Amino acid sequence: MSGANMDKSITLPADEIFRNLENAKRFAIDIGGSLTKLAYYSTVQHKVAKVRSFDHTGKDADQALLYEISEQEEITARLHFIKFENTYIETCLDFIKDHLVNTDTKVIKATGGGAYKFKDLIEKKLGLKVDKEDEMTCLIKGCNFVLKNIPHEAFVYVKHADPEFRFQTTHPNIFPYLLVNIGSGVSIVKVETEDKFERIGGSSIGGGTFWGLGALLTKTKKFDELLQLAAKGQHTNVDMLVKDIYGGGYQILGLTGNLIASSFGKSSTVDKEFSKEDMAKSLLHMISNDIGQLACLYAKQHNLSQVYFGGFFIRGHPVTMHTITYSINFFSKGEVQALFLRHEGYLGAIGAFLKGAEEDNPNLYSWGENYAGSSGLMSTSPDVFPMQRSRSGTFDMLEMDRLERQLVNLPLLFDPSSYVPDTVDLTEDAMAREYWLTCFEDALEGVAKRAVASQPDAKDAADRAGKFQQKYWNKLQTLRHQPFAYGSLTVRSLLDTREHCLNEFNFPDPYSKVSIRFKIILAIVYNVDLNFFFNRIRRVLCRFLEPWSIFLLAC
């Protein structure tokens, strides 16, 4: 593809999108019909707060040093995933080439239908050999990875509910499940273990069908524009309903009057022009219903109750998710559950990366989403938070940090799959959400000042604190408009997001220089053995105390 046909009208700030490229070590890419997903691994150096406690049994605790906090440099591993339109692929490759300085990588793993199309361009721009990987294998590997490592990855979509997104708790055992990948066509895959899966069915009627027929009906060539038309349409102007035939429901067969009897049925009986919006909505319903019914039949046949939907057809679009969910519920009578993924667009890229990183055994570690560098699940509504949509329309990011220990379920829990560590789900409780978001907004300036005070010898501390303050403020505004962005919103996740933003600007412990009264509170918490388990408990307790520290010190 020639450079003349590529859009180069964008700028790419390295601190926002392709972050830490100077330390990138391994690459993978998944190129679909319209979107490219790039993955790479990097090492990140930042400060961490280390606590050392002292045993003063029998001594005067008022005179003895109970603990000390020191800051140390630490290098951790990070995974970066960036999604963008194929239109920008040449610009992005040029940007990567210009900023890639410390890598000895010779190969880039590639998957997706576009891997062959752009092979020569990638090799020319990056000087890396393209090594193609099987698309379905990468997809399954990616799906297993996000289901195991990202809490609240999967969700049920319930239209008109508040919230519409009902996130699922990570289950210790994710197998078996059914994965319905809706690309140009549809592939239905039964996944039994990490490495054992089978394509048990599929259909030629998928995303490509919606795109192709939609283009013929509406003269609209772009997929996202078709979805926007569908969101504004009224399918009942085009579809023939049960009540249009029988004057109401068909009770003997259990069919309600509003059920679609014939997709596009009115186009042959009504002498009028139909709007593009109505036709797009009818088409979306037709294809989504068909896929939902097919998935339900395969799930019932193989005795599977959980069905995950992915592929470019979904894209978090409410109408699509609602129609598929309705279809699954209708045909299974509630026995099969339709589940969607926050990061379904990254599955292929994640899988391709894992194939290339097998020598490092990434599955031996646990990984956590870095909220400071991730876009989060976004609303498709053009009216929701236009500041964020201006960025999300071009790029979407996911970052994951390797944790210092592999996470396991606490063996004392009776049922780990049903355990919920948070008492209030702020996604569901609007009043509590408003209260806590306001609390964190009001405390933000004070936290930034604490951050500066914690590093009195650092000349750039004030500048970094200002950047932290702006970044966390932006995250809070995103969560005001889209509380579901990072899964279920809780006080714990708000604290985690703040901690990630602080770490991003090298502030591991803003409260290391607080007054003696607050140190006494901390000392009570720190007076435990410094093994890993209790260290994690201490961190949680300290974070819980932080919002109240100003009140306690003022008393």
Side-chain angles (χ1 to χ4, degrees):
M1 182 172 289
S2 66
N5 294 326
M6 306 302 290
D7 188 330
K8 294 191 175 185
S9 61
I10 57 172
T11 56
L12 302 175
D15 60 337
E16 291 184 31
I17 300 174
F18 294 100
R19 298 175 358 127
N20 210 37
L21 266 176
E22 66 275 9
N23 294 317
K25 298 185 180 299
R26 190 172 284 112
F27 287 87
I29 195 166
D30 175 18
I31 308 177
S34 60
L35 294 173
T36 294
K37 286 77 67 176
L38 181 74
Y40 61 94
Y41 165 98
S42 76
T43 53
V44 181
Q45 183 171 345
H46 56 84
K47 291 183 173 66
V48 294
K50 297 290 186 179
V51 180
R52 180 186 177 193
S53 63
F54 302 95
D55 184 7
H56 295 290
T57 305
K59 298 180 180 180
D60 187 351
D62 291 335
Q63 302 298 321
L65 181 64
L66 297 176
Y67 69 95
E68 67 177 11
I69 301 175
S70 62
E71 291 185 357
Q72 300 176 16
E73 293 289 337
E74 187 174 89
I75 296 177
T76 58
R78 176 172 290 174
L79 303 181
H80 305 256
F81 304 96
I82 302 99
K83 181 169 58 179
F84 52 89
E85 296 174 11
N86 290 352
T87 309
Y88 304 121
I89 189 168
E90 188 169 353
T91 302
C92 292
L93 292 176
D94 283 334
F95 185 87
I96 293 169
K97 179 183 178 181
D98 293 341
H99 291 78
L100 199 60
V101 292
N102 293 327
T103 184
D104 55 1
T105 300
K106 304 298 182 184
V107 174
I108 180 170
K109 292 289 185 178
T111 189
Y116 174 79
K117 179 180 179 181
F118 290 98
K119 176 178 180 292
D120 292 341
L121 180 66
I122 295 169
E123 292 184 340
K124 176 184 175 182
K125 293 289 185 181
L126 298 184
L128 302 177
K129 182 179 180 292
V130 173
D131 186 11
K132 285 199 65 178
E133 292 289 345
D134 177 69
E135 186 173 1
M136 193 56 64
T137 301
C138 292
L139 195 72
I140 300 302
K141 275 188 169 293
C143 191
N144 293 340
F145 184 82
V146 298
L147 288 175
K148 287 181 176 180
N149 285 281
I150 304 182
H152 302 154
E153 171 64 26
F155 62 90
V156 174
Y157 183 78
V158 185
K159 187 179 181 181
H160 302 313
D162 186 15
E164 298 178 35
F165 299 84
R166 303 284 176 83
F167 293 95
Q168 307 295 293
T169 303
T170 303
H171 197 281
N173 184 16
I174 63 174
F175 306 108
Y177 65 85
L178 200 68
L179 177 64
V180 181
N181 186 53
I182 313 171
S184 297
V186 180
S187 288
I188 301 176
V189 185
K190 179 183 179 182
V191 184
E192 298 185 68
T193 66
E194 190 72 46
D195 300 307
K196 184 179 179 182
F197 62 89
E198 177 189 5
R199 186 183 188 275
I200 58 176
S203 172
S204 62
I205 301 174
T209 312
F210 172 71
W211 200 347
L213 286 178
L216 291 174
L217 290 169
T218 68
K219 308 303 179 186
T220 301
K221 296 295 184 180
K222 291 189 176 182
F223 189 86
D224 286 323
E225 289 180 7
L226 275 173
L227 289 178
Q228 290 172 11
L229 286 175
K232 300 173 184 177
Q234 178 54 260
H235 77 97
T236 56
N237 292 333
V238 182
D239 293 340
M240 185 176 292
L241 308 183
V242 170
K243 66 182 179 182
D244 294 324
I245 301 174
Y246 298 105
Y250 199 148
Q251 301 304 327
I252 295 178
L253 297 181
L255 304 177
T256 64
N258 290 323
L259 201 66
I260 298 174
S262 176
S263 296
F264 288 92
K266 289 180 180 176
S267 62
S268 62
T269 60
V270 178
D271 185 19
K272 71 170 188 177
E273 291 290 326
F274 296 99
S275 72
K276 293 180 180 181
E277 291 81 2
D278 293 345
M279 289 189 291
K281 183 67 163 286
S282 176
L283 182 63
L284 186 61
H285 271 283
M286 181 180 75
I287 292 172
S288 299
N289 274 322
D290 182 69
I291 294 171
Q293 183 179 21
L294 194 62
C296 177
L297 292 173
Y298 277 108
K300 298 281 283 185
Q301 182 183 13
H302 291 267
N303 197 31
L304 297 171
S305 60
Q306 298 202 116
V307 183
Y308 296 99
F309 289 88
F312 84 87
F313 180 69
I314 305 293
R315 298 204 188 186
H317 196 272
V319 176
T320 308
M321 294 190 295
H322 169 66
T323 308
I324 289 175
T325 300
Y326 180 87
S327 179
I328 288 280
N329 289 339
F330 179 82
F331 290 110
S332 74
K333 295 180 171 59
E335 295 179 5
V336 177
Q337 192 173 41
L339 292 162
F340 304 93
L341 303 172
R342 284 203 292 132
H343 301 103
E344 55 87 14
Y346 292 108
L347 301 186
I350 292 172
F353 174 84
L354 294 174
K355 288 288 288 183
E358 287 177 341
E359 62 190 63
D360 295 330
N361 295 317
N363 283 322
L364 293 180
Y365 303 96
S366 291
W367 300 79
E369 183 175 3
N370 175 29
Y371 299 141
S374 299
S375 304
L377 183 66
M378 300 178 192
S379 171
T380 56
S381 170
D383 300 323
V384 174
F385 204 20
M387 181 182 75
Q388 184 186 15
R389 289 202 56 78
S390 64
R391 169 66 69 193
S392 69
T394 304
F395 290 92
D396 186 86
M397 289 81 70
L398 166 65
E399 289 185 358
M400 300 186 70
D401 289 337
R402 192 173 73 189
L403 306 182
E404 54 185 314
R405 299 288 192 279
Q406 187 173 25
L407 298 182
V408 296
N409 288 297
L410 184 67
L412 297 179
L413 289 174
F414 177 74
D415 181 12
S417 63
S418 63
Y419 172 68
V420 180
D422 305 289
T423 55
V424 180
D425 187 342
L426 304 181
T427 320
E428 297 182 6
D429 191 331
M431 186 177 296
R433 179 170 70 245
E434 172 63 26
Y435 171 81
W436 279 106
L437 286 172
T438 301
C439 281
F440 278 92
E441 288 173 352
D442 292 345
L444 183 52
E445 184 176 354
V447 174
K449 290 179 179 178
R450 289 283 188 194
V452 175
S454 71
Q455 298 178 4
D457 299 327
K459 295 180 180 180
D460 64 341
D463 180 58
R464 287 186 285 117
K467 292 178 179 178
F468 150 73
Q469 191 170 352
Q470 185 60 55
K471 184 153 199 169
Y472 190 51
W473 173 266
N474 290 340
K475 292 291 181 183
L476 292 175
Q477 302 321 300
T478 296
L479 292 169
R480 276 194 177 279
H481 293 84
Q482 298 173 191
F484 49 79
Y486 299 105
S488 292
L489 182 64
T490 64
V491 176
R492 182 166 57 96
S493 69
L494 286 170
L495 287 164
D496 284 341
T497 305
R498 189 176 74 181
E499 183 177 325
H500 293 176
C501 291
L502 283 165
N503 287 336
E504 198 67 30
F505 297 100
N506 249 340
F507 292 112
D509 187 4
Y511 289 93
S512 61
K513 305 295 182 183
V514 295
S515 69
I516 187 62
R517 278 179 289 177
F518 189 58
K519 284 186 177 181
I520 293 172
I521 297 173
L522 290 178
I524 296 171
V525 180
Y526 283 129
N527 191 22
V528 294
D529 293 334
L530 290 181
N531 58 47
F532 175 74
F533 175 73
F534 286 104
N535 182 49
R536 299 299 297 178
I537 292 178
R538 181 180 63 242
R539 287 180 63 196
V540 172
L541 288 175
C542 287
R543 289 195 305 230
F544 175 77
L545 287 172
E546 281 179 8
W548 304 102
S549 61
I550 297 174
F551 170 76
L552 291 170
L553 291 168
C555 292

